[in-house]
Amino acid sequence: MLSIFQTPIEYLKGVGSKKAEILKKEANLFTLQDLLLYFPYKYADKSHFFRICDIPGNPQAHLQIKGKITHLTVTGANRSKRLVALFQDGSGSMELVWFHGIPYMEKYLQTNQEYIVFGKPQLFNNLYSIIHPEISPVTENAPKQGIQIAFQPFYNTTDKMKRAGLDSRSISKLCLQLLNEYGGHITETLPAYLREACRLMPERQALLNIHFPQSNALLRAAQYRLKFDEMFFLQLELLQKKLIHTTRAQGFAMPKVGTLFHACYDKLPFELTAAQKRVIKEIRQDLISGKQMNRLLQGDVGSGKTITALLVMLMAMDNGFQSCLMAPTEILAEQHYEGICKFLDGMEVKVALLTGSTKASQRKILLEQLKNGELQILIGTHALIEEQVLFHSLGLAVIDEQHRFGVDQRAKLWRKNNPPPHVLIMTATPIPRTLAMTVYGDLNISVIDEVPKNRKPVITRHFPQTAWSQIVPFLQQQIGEGRQIFVVFPLIQESEALDLQNLIDGYEQFRLYFPEPRYHLSYVHGQMGSEEKNREMENFASGKTQLLLATSVIEVGIDIPNANVMVIENAERFGLSQLHQLRGRVGRGSAQSYCLLLTGDKLGYESRRRIQAMVNSNNGFEIADFDLKLRGPGDMAGTRQSGMLEFRIVDLAKDEKLIAYCRQLAAQVLERDPILQKEENAEIRYHLQANPSSKIDYLQIS
Ligand code: ADP
Ligand code: MG
């Protein structure tokens, strides 16, 4: 059944084919429904009249005033020619000014007639004036039919729209026309039981009040209802997808917790944090379920994701399965390999590393052992997903730093076994809960929300770029105590050449401050060959050099516990989450660690707040939350395509409670009626069928 609101927009009275073209091109308004859902971005109060003497000093809003014109004059010549009306309401006087249509207005306007005027007053020579106000005689306002305008809505328009006579005021007239003519056809999208339980205003009333609010209270109720609609239906679809996935996708059942797991666990050099233990339990529930696991593991830098993943891999092995761990860069894959070998020291587990630089002869042996099952854990880069890499029985795939990998790369991992292996995605980009619920709504999520107790929080300080005389002695003193130092230069996206130049200039500078033979410097950047890069990193990791100068290639993962100072040049050029990631490179050893943020003298307001947030907090989730509030969700690192985050009326940064509430309600509805076939959910079913979310396309995991 096609709704009447699918009617093309040109059939609305007052639109026609020419304007329809513009509405389609400029605002994506194709149908009556599109217009119905084109919500105003603000409103001006027309429910009462302002007295001229009460106009605030610097009015920011449109105001409505009732009064009489006492005097009309045309002044100025040529381009400054204007019609000026002196307007009085008994409390004071002001001017109304017209630059265009003067002959018409001169005839139209009458002195001593009472008018209602609407517009934004400006203060000029101690007198308020409104340029090109909306004006209508009071008599015309007498008994009206249809919708009363208590608040004037304002709609987004473009220059092209305005030139075609489609300014905000005309859009509001079209919406008025639409609601007057078709308002009766608006159907309810939610069943009565839900509307009552959640105290939601009816759909029809909500759409009416979002365009033409009859009062402030009704506007708030309408906004709430429409936000609810938007988020509830999205969550419903996400959860439905997840449900279908978990009921259909068979996975390997791994019921045993066996000797390998215990052997490793018992000889860990530290006690797992409570959060690590909880996450392992959550994952274990998935592994014994017989359904395929798709889980996101979030944990701040240094929270110990690797050992958590390793213990899960050992669980898989105790049940006779192989595992793999895929990292986004060679350096990271190598670090994982070395770290994991250390944890497994003395145990009967065969682990191998496969990257682009693995030698052909070695690779051949390795692939053979992988196929016959001799090799149990394979660690590597995306070399892992190449077709020649065949597993004997891959039961678990762990992916580190997920946002570096595309969806199709994940899919390739999936096809390495049938049924597909369990998938654990690890990310150090802390995503606020609301965002995770939405962006990763189809995955199960585990969070390691604490760092090991033995960590000393990193001390973060902000310095102007010119403060070298203070900083250099401090760095020399740290090196004197046997420590090492990271120095990071910003990546300038537009120009790799500039980027490199920055680093080279920096290198020259540092050589002066830290001369040979007392000091040794390494440097790495994105354009270096991997062999050279590895050599430089190796020199730093082994302590041959004391300073590592780098572009932000060291952002993720690498673990050099002896490095305890992170210097970030032009810190204002980095995003907050990136700064936090970089800071996570230090604070891993026992010494007190420092993060020095250097910026130019003239910092913008936003940059200042970001740097301040870094100085004030060591908690990645707090920082991510702050970032979301400051910049909006579109800019969050580690999120999927941004279309995922564009909402009509929901604000991911502000509507956190509502999002959680909608998700919970959607889960309840699906629990009672998984495929929405019950009569009580008929409205939901119809609405979903007619309006599938475009966001779901972004979420294809298989
Ligand atoms: P990330 O979550 O950033 O990947 P890692 O897994 O690299 O963190 O862990 C950082 C360091 O902390 C490693 O050296 C690891 O061995 C150590 N570690 C992990 N868990 C604990 C713990 N519970 N107590 C102490 N140290 C731990
Ligand atoms: Mg890591």
Side-chain angles (χ1 to χ4, degrees):
M1 189 189 65
L2 216 57
S3 144
I4 193 158
F5 289 102
Q6 299 307 317
T7 308
I9 193 110
E10 47 263 53
Y11 296 109
L12 181 67
K13 216 158 97 193
V15 178
S17 61
K18 240 189 187 159
K19 284 187 178 169
E21 251 347 271
I22 305 270
L23 288 172
K24 287 175 197 174
K25 271 214 190 97
E26 294 290 300
N28 278 322
L29 301 176
F30 290 87
T31 63
L32 298 185
Q33 169 162 313
D34 294 339
L35 183 62
L36 192 63
L37 299 179
Y38 196 65
F39 301 153
Y41 65 91
K42 68 170 186 182
Y43 307 85
D45 192 347
K46 274 189 163 181
S47 61
H48 70 281
F49 298 102
F50 252 87
R51 296 194 311 162
I52 292 174
C53 69
D54 290 338
I55 297 176
N58 179 22
Q60 292 301 314
H62 283 61
L63 306 175
Q64 183 175 251
I65 304 156
K66 186 152 67 174
K68 287 178 179 172
I69 292 174
T70 52
H71 192 72
L72 270 169
T73 42
V74 176
T75 62
N78 301 326
R79 295 181 76 191
S80 63
K81 187 171 169 186
R82 60 195 184 272
L83 172 65
V84 179
L86 197 62
F87 186 69
Q88 299 189 321
D89 72 347
S91 85
S93 46
M94 64 185 298
E95 285 182 351
L96 310 175
V97 182
W98 285 266
F99 292 97
H100 309 295
I102 294 174
Y104 173 81
M105 287 314 293
E106 252 187 308
K107 258 194 225 136
Y108 175 77
L109 296 174
Q110 312 272 320
T111 47
N112 287 321
Q113 155 77 44
E114 194 159 49
Y115 286 104
I116 294 171
V117 161
F118 182 70
K120 193 151 127 188
Q122 293 170 323
L123 196 55
F124 194 69
N125 284 342
N126 265 333
L127 195 65
Y128 282 109
S129 61
I130 301 181
I131 294 165
H132 286 234
E134 223 177 274
I135 184 164
S136 55
V138 167
T139 47
E140 269 181 30
N141 259 36
K144 247 203 234 166
Q145 284 199 331
I147 300 161
Q148 302 292 314
I149 299 190
F151 289 79
Q152 177 72 42
F154 287 81
Y155 296 88
N156 279 316
T157 58
T158 63
D159 285 343
K160 273 197 187 139
M161 287 167 79
K162 286 189 193 106
R163 267 184 263 128
L166 288 163
D167 59 3
S168 173
R169 216 182 285 179
S170 358
I171 303 275
S172 88
K173 278 186 191 145
L174 293 179
C175 288
L176 193 64
Q177 171 70 23
L178 176 70
L179 285 161
N180 274 329
E181 200 174 333
Y182 298 94
H185 295 280
I186 294 173
T187 51
E188 188 45 61
T189 60
L190 291 172
Y193 79 89
L194 257 182
R195 267 194 353 254
E196 277 157 27
C198 309
R199 305 221 185 108
L200 295 169
M201 149 191 276
E203 181 81 356
R204 186 180 305 167
Q205 213 190 338
L207 285 167
L208 178 77
N209 276 285
I210 199 76
H211 289 284
F212 302 103
Q214 299 301 300
S215 72
N216 261 318
L218 287 168
L219 173 59
R220 278 195 301 274
Q223 285 169 329
Y224 186 75
R225 165 69 210 249
L226 294 166
K227 282 181 179 188
F228 186 97
D229 275 12
E230 190 170 30
M231 194 37 80
F232 175 74
F233 283 105
L234 176 63
Q235 291 300 340
L236 204 61
E237 277 183 289
L238 288 168
L239 289 172
Q240 222 176 1
K241 191 167 183 299
K242 193 163 127 186
L243 199 67
I244 290 170
H245 182 82
T246 45
T247 47
R248 293 233 188 100
Q250 283 304 308
F252 299 109
M254 303 183 177
K256 274 189 277 182
V257 178
T259 47
L260 290 172
F261 177 90
H262 284 299
C264 179
Y265 188 93
D266 292 344
K267 70 178 190 65
L268 281 179
F270 44 72
E271 163 103 18
L272 291 185
T273 61
Q276 285 171 315
K277 288 180 189 165
R278 172 173 43 74
V279 166
I280 290 173
K281 278 194 194 127
E282 286 166 3
I283 295 172
R284 177 159 158 69
Q285 288 312 309
D286 290 352
L287 297 187
I288 60 181
S289 72
K291 309 285 183 226
Q292 191 237 3
M293 170 176 82
N294 264 296
R295 191 173 277 279
L296 179 75
L297 173 54
Q298 276 193 296
D300 209 344
V301 278
S303 63
K305 293 184 290 296
T306 314
I307 184 63
T308 309
L310 175 62
L311 287 168
V312 178
M313 290 195 260
L314 293 173
M315 263 185 216
M317 255 160 54
D318 278 332
N319 288 275
F321 291 96
Q322 294 170 301
S323 303
C324 68
L325 167 59
M326 184 159 85
T329 64
E330 282 194 19
I331 295 175
L332 282 174
E334 275 165 32
Q335 284 223 333
H336 275 311
Y337 176 72
E338 281 160 21
I340 283 175
C341 286
K342 242 183 248 161
F343 282 124
L344 295 178
D345 192 32
M347 289 172 58
E348 295 266 308
V349 181
K350 198 154 168 52
V351 189
L353 176 70
L354 177 66
T355 69
S357 3
T358 307
K359 289 206 180 69
S361 53
Q362 209 181 341
R363 188 183 146 92
K364 198 165 161 237
I365 303 171
L366 192 155
L367 290 183
E368 192 51 46
Q369 292 177 335
L370 194 63
K371 212 156 62 180
N372 66 27
E374 221 176 299
L375 188 61
Q376 292 147 310
I377 295 181
L378 182 62
I379 296 167
T381 54
H382 40 254
L384 289 191
I385 54 179
E386 280 165 22
E387 265 170 44
Q388 310 89 303
V389 181
L390 296 171
F391 291 82
H392 176 70
S393 57
L394 180 64
L396 170 72
V398 181
I399 306 177
D400 194 11
E401 304 299 348
Q402 180 264 345
H403 62 275
R404 300 275 173 118
F405 293 107
V407 169
D408 39 321
Q409 287 176 312
R410 265 197 280 163
K412 278 189 188 154
L413 257 183
W414 264 57
R415 285 186 228 110
K416 294 276 175 199
N417 208 350
N418 189 19
H422 298 295
V423 175
L424 181 67
I425 298 164
M426 304 197 289
T427 172
T429 309
I431 300 169
R433 256 182 77 74
T434 37
L435 210 56
M437 247 182 255
T438 313
V439 185
Y440 296 106
D442 57 336
L443 303 182
N444 288 312
I445 299 174
S446 288
V447 183
I448 304 185
D449 50 7
E450 82 188 286
V451 290
K453 284 186 201 64
N454 60 3
R455 295 278 156 75
K456 288 196 192 112
V458 179
I459 294 174
T460 303
R461 293 274 181 271
H462 175 203
F463 291 96
Q465 212 85 38
T466 46
W468 280 109
S469 56
Q470 286 175 332
I471 295 166
V472 170
F474 171 74
L475 298 182
Q476 286 171 342
Q477 176 212 329
Q478 291 294 319
I479 293 172
E481 289 171 20
R483 311 271 162 244
Q484 291 169 285
I485 290 160
F486 290 114
V487 185
V488 176
F489 294 84
L491 193 81
I492 298 164
Q493 224 104 52
E494 308 86 68
S495 158
E496 287 197 356
L498 249 180
D499 177 23
L500 189 54
Q501 194 52 49
N502 249 357
L503 181 64
I504 291 168
D505 292 349
Y507 184 73
E508 295 303 326
Q509 276 268 303
F510 268 80
R511 277 237 302 243
L512 295 178
Y513 294 133
F514 299 94
E516 307 243 6
R518 170 68 188 88
Y519 299 102
H520 303 283
L521 277 62
S522 289
Y523 78 102
V524 295
H525 56 80
Q527 281 145 296
M528 239 174 197
S530 68
E531 215 168 288
E532 198 185 352
K533 199 189 298 180
N534 284 345
R535 195 174 53 236
E536 292 281 319
M537 291 296 296
E538 215 35 65
N539 282 341
F540 187 65
S542 66
K544 277 200 198 110
T545 56
Q546 298 100 2
L547 292 109
L548 175 69
L549 277 58
T551 52
S552 48
V553 290
I554 58 162
E555 180 187 340
V556 260
I558 63 159
D559 198 7
I560 297 171
N562 192 48
N564 74 325
V565 184
M566 167 65 65
V567 181
I568 303 177
E569 294 251 9
N570 289 109
E572 71 271 27
R573 300 228 184 118
F574 291 89
L576 251 184
S577 71
Q578 218 183 354
L579 288 175
H580 180 68
Q581 288 291 316
L582 286 169
R583 180 170 58 183
R585 296 306 109 220
V586 297
R588 298 177 162 239
S590 49
Q592 176 62 54
S593 294
Y594 303 88
C595 175
L596 311 184
L597 303 171
L598 307 187
T599 66
D601 294 333
K602 292 205 181 78
L603 271 191
Y605 175 70
E606 200 188 281
S607 306
R608 192 170 294 280
R609 290 190 60 186
R610 272 191 305 174
I611 301 290
Q612 205 52 48
M614 283 293 294
V615 172
N616 291 343
S617 174
N618 257 310
N619 180 320
F621 284 90
E622 262 174 42
I623 287 178
D625 245 350
F626 183 79
D627 204 20
L628 177 66
K629 297 209 162 94
L630 199 65
R631 300 195 301 161
D635 290 325
M636 296 292 301
T639 55
R640 298 189 214 181
Q641 288 89 331
S642 64
M644 187 60 219
L645 302 171
E646 278 163 21
F647 287 87
R648 182 177 299 124
I649 183 164
V650 165
D651 181 339
L652 284 180
K654 293 190 187 132
D655 296 325
E656 201 160 352
K657 270 198 194 134
L658 178 73
I659 295 168
Y661 185 48
C662 285
R663 185 165 178 88
Q664 182 198 338
L665 283 168
Q668 281 169 13
V669 168
L670 288 176
E671 198 171 308
R672 296 211 321 206
D673 186 9
I675 53 170
L676 300 171
Q677 57 178 354
K678 289 193 177 158
E679 192 44 41
E680 65 181 30
N681 291 321
E683 284 95 342
I684 298 182
R685 182 168 66 243
Y686 292 142
H687 182 75
L688 271 183
Q689 272 164 5
N691 303 282
S693 168
S694 55
K695 295 192 167 56
I696 297 298
D697 296 342
Y698 291 111
L699 296 174
Q700 287 309 324
I701 183 170
S702 46

